[in-house]
Amino acid sequence: KQEVTQIPAALSVPEGENLVLNCSFTDSAIYNLQWFRQDPGKGLTSLLLIQSSQREQTSGRLNASLDKSSGRSTLYIAASQPGDSATYLCAVTTSYDKVIFGPGTSLSVIP
Amino acid sequence: ETGVTQTPRHLVMGMTNKKSLKCEQHLGHNAMYWYKQSAKKPLELMFVYSLEERVENNSVPSRFSPECPNSSHLFLHLHTLQPEDSALYLCASSQGGSSFYEQYFGPGTRLTVT
């Protein structure tokens, strides 16, 4: 059974710091891994999607990596800003009807 | 309208009521999903429709009943709910049929069962 975990559960950093969020999954048989951002009480915004054949994806200040063999992904945020404060979720897709989410990392960037 | 929309955004209902949640996607996708997000729990996938065919999910109670009349619309019919069903219900869509299952989410419906 696929399980997804995220470490840390919460993180508080001063503005301008670079930071790394971690996602781990137990079964390497995945189609893709997706990182989302969720603001309080809102829906999810897709940040990056990494196909199973890819190693990383970049968008602006965000960089996500994927190591299927070890069951790990990291989301790197460069030069953090207060507007980056949100909950970050990772999810793995094992088939079109199996999407498993992690519990999320709550990020707070202090001005 | 763009992306994925959901109505209503907030809903309060009693345990004996019947209500429906609506989702509409304007992205030309052919798969739609219902998720439940409870406090302090990861998102749970409830139902999937791909090409308007429902994928059975035996773990969801029968008081939740999905309907997908076409590839752009998805409903979640609710009846005789319990207080523990209070949660944020999120709809998503994706383009299925390949490994590129990037999901796009709506803003959610905040449901409170009294």
Side-chain angles (χ1 to χ4, degrees), chain A residues 76-95:
Chain A
Y76 175 83
I77 302 177
S80 58
Q81 303 171 357
D84 295 330
S85 298
T87 296
Y88 290 80
L89 300 155
C90 70
V92 296
T93 300
T94 58
S95 67

Side-chain angles (χ1 to χ4, degrees), chain A residues 31-32 34 36 38 41-44 46 49 51 93 96-97 99 101-103, chain B residues 33 35 37 42-43 45 48 50 55 88 90 99-103 105-107:
Chain A
Y31 278 122
N32 61 49
Q34 197 166 358
F36 295 90
Q38 185 175 31
K42 301 288 181 63
L44 277 65
S46 177
L49 179 143
Q51 302 278 20
T93 300
Y96 76 90
D97 62 337
V99 183
F101 277 80
Chain B
Y33 309 76
Y35 287 88
Q37 187 175 36
L43 262 75
L45 179 60
V48 179
S50 179
V55 176
L88 181 67
L90 293 163
S99 64
F100 192 72
Y101 299 111
E102 184 169 12
Q103 301 209 354
F105 281 78

